[in-house]
Amino acid sequence: RKEVEQDPGPFNVPEGATVAFNCTYSNSASQSFFWYRQDCRKEPKLLMSVYSSGNEDGRFTAQLNRASQYISLLIRDSKLSDSATYLCVVTAWDSNYQLIWGAGTKLIIKP
Amino acid sequence: DGGITQSPKYLFRKEGQNVTLSCEQNLNHDAMYWYRQDPGQGLRLIYYSQIVNDFQKGDIAEGYSVSREKKESFPLTVTSAQKNPTAFYLCASRPSTDLNPYNSPLHFGNGTRLTVT
């Protein structure tokens, strides 16, 4: 089983819709969680950190469920520019806080 | 503007040749990292360095070597011993050696796409 798993997609979503996807992690010692966005053939860029109580940044909402060991990302009122691959990243104190990356979920927003 | 510069953007080499990928940062970051990304896979850590003249192996260090002679520079050499070198290579840095990434977010360069034939 992979340490961090994501549905590869693609998720094909009409512009303006709400879309959500999850990321599961296997290490119960995981402490830090992040969502990165990666455009085609570009470097990843930090979208948002994920905190225990959940957090929101504009149209983006991130949630953490420690009991079930997953994090989620919800995008409201999706824009064409949201089309990208969304990477889940997890770190754990018992692995010296090294970042463990998911393979990403591809999102395609259609006009 | 401060940032991380990787060069070249595209690199083509023949099998059996060593090749060095450049990574330079002017962000005054202490920690630097090399990752490899293959299609359908997450980023995998090759090497990292938290201080000048010191570096540590990551999960897939075999067939690679690095040096950290200057704070600004962390070049990666892909040797002929690396069995599958064709990949997208990403260099990254963090402001401090504080291991908790909430306190020290990762910054990436634009990447080098290496093709070995």
Side-chain angles (χ1 to χ4, degrees), chain B residues 13-28:
Chain B
R13 279 293 183 270
K14 294 289 188 184
E15 195 174 318
Q17 292 179 330
N18 291 356
V19 61
T20 297
L21 282 57
S22 169
C23 178
E24 303 279 332
Q25 53 98 359
N26 60 4
L27 300 166
N28 199 34

Side-chain angles (χ1 to χ4, degrees), chain B residues 24-71:
Chain B
E24 303 279 332
Q25 53 98 359
N26 60 4
L27 300 166
N28 199 34
H29 287 178
D30 291 305
M32 297 187 74
Y33 302 79
W34 273 105
Y35 287 95
R36 167 183 174 141
Q37 188 176 34
D38 294 282
Q41 294 191 41
L43 276 66
R44 292 183 290 168
L45 182 64
I46 304 173
Y47 268 98
Y48 65 100
S49 167
Q50 297 189 68
I51 196 169
V52 174
N53 292 323
D54 187 49
F55 47 83
Q56 308 295 328
K57 292 183 179 180
D59 299 321
I60 55 165
E62 186 175 347
Y64 299 97
S65 66
V66 293
S67 63
R68 186 87 187 275
E69 296 176 2
K70 299 186 299 181
K71 188 175 185 177

